[in-house]
Amino acid sequence: MNGQTERRAADGPGRRVVIVGAGMAGVRTAVALREAGFTGPVTLIGAEPHQPYDRPPLSKAVLLGEAEHSAFDIDFAALDIDLRLGLSVSGLHPELRRVETADGPVPYDVAVIATGAEPLALPGAEGVPGVHLLRTADDAARLRPVLDERREVVVVGAGWIGAEFATAARAAGCEVTVVEAAARPLAGVLPAEVTAPMADWYADSGVRLLTGARVARAEPGAVVLEDGRVLPAGAVVAGIGARPATGWLAGSGVALGPDGSVTADASLRTTREDVYAVGDCASFPSGRFGARLLVHHWDNALQGPRTVAAGILAAPAVHDPVPYFWSEQFGRFVQYAGHHTTADTLVRRGDPAGAAWSVCWLRDDALTAVLAVGRPRDVAQGRKLIASGAAVDAGRIADPGVPLKSAAL
């Protein structure tokens, strides 16, 4: 079969694509298919009843009441996308080529898994009133009155989402305490020498940060720590991480990694024929970084759909981006691009006690990652250097007065 025949077969009028998950990754996959010329039936299934929406504004503008919603500005009807909302999915049967839903089976020729990640619940807090997560539009709607009423808030977890919510709660006038089991914020993702100045951001913003503190239980109106301390809490927000939402794939034969993510290949195909996975629920092999990556960030969910669409249209592409994300917290704009390990060499750019500084990681004389606080050009230029794989001069990297792009050899 020649290439043109393969493409016609992939784009045949009867070839049905069913996308499970109506977040960024699922929505952009549906749109990417249409943009690439796919004319077959496309069904997009979302568990929530709301029009598909963008998640980052939930912890910022939507939460603070500065925006009523963050729905995508997409005309699904005009794109001939069959949008099925408020529909839970319970299983995938590749041998029968169908997705099991609460409304019955949905047949497919190609399935795309885009169910994202689900937040980890605070252990022992099930059924306790006033304990919240922040992942969905409904979560944000439940938390808005908490901020409006300026309640005492306890945030469990000093990661990215915990810091962002603490920032919003302080902006609304709440008294905020952040409880972190590790010895410092962001302990699981950044080294101590990078996070040390970040700990000061909490106090500077009037947020009480308790590190090395473990929660024993949540009670109505309080959080009890393992050391016996009792923290008054008009509301508790858990920001202790997320896991891929892949439990519904049990028995499907789709291979999952130890972290629960779908084990996709470089083209985002799974271990089952004509089944793809994209976004927060899928890991992929990165030739650029020499590791399998699971990226729980917006930009990955934006880029991956183009790869999936290419594969469905019989023009396989490789998904190997330079991961990127940002976080707005305590009056600072934090950005990160790339992927680093503990074996990489850390190089500072600027004084971390100041308002703007960066940290770079080098491996084999090449830039592998950059984190910037208030220096967006460093991230924009660093991302291009990482993508190129160019050798760099460590001395010039360390000079904050030298544009990062000028460090290339």
Side-chain angles (χ1 to χ4, degrees), residues 219-306:
E219 300 176 347
V223 170
V224 181
L225 304 183
E226 287 186 351
D227 61 12
R229 283 179 289 178
V230 178
L231 308 177
V236 180
V237 177
I240 56 176
R243 61 174 173 242
T246 55
W248 66 282
L249 293 170
S252 68
V254 172
L256 304 180
D259 54 12
S261 65
V262 177
T263 304
D265 69 9
S267 295
L268 298 181
R269 295 171 300 198
T270 74
T271 52
R272 298 306 301 261
E273 185 180 4
D274 289 324
V275 179
Y276 293 78
V278 64
D280 291 5
C281 65
S283 68
F284 58 91
S286 170
R288 188 189 312 280
F289 298 106
R292 175 167 285 275
L293 302 184
L294 174 61
V295 181
H296 281 186
H297 296 300
W298 182 90
D299 189 67
N300 180 58
L302 181 67
Q303 294 195 54
R306 290 191 291 269

Side-chain angles (χ1 to χ4, degrees), residues 6 24 51-52 54 98 125 140 157 184 196 234 249 264 309 348 366 371 381:
E6 288 178 356
M24 171 62 81
Q51 280 293 304
D54 204 6
R98 72 187 191 195
R184 53 190 175 81
L249 293 170
R348 290 194 178 278
L371 178 141
Q381 295 176 14

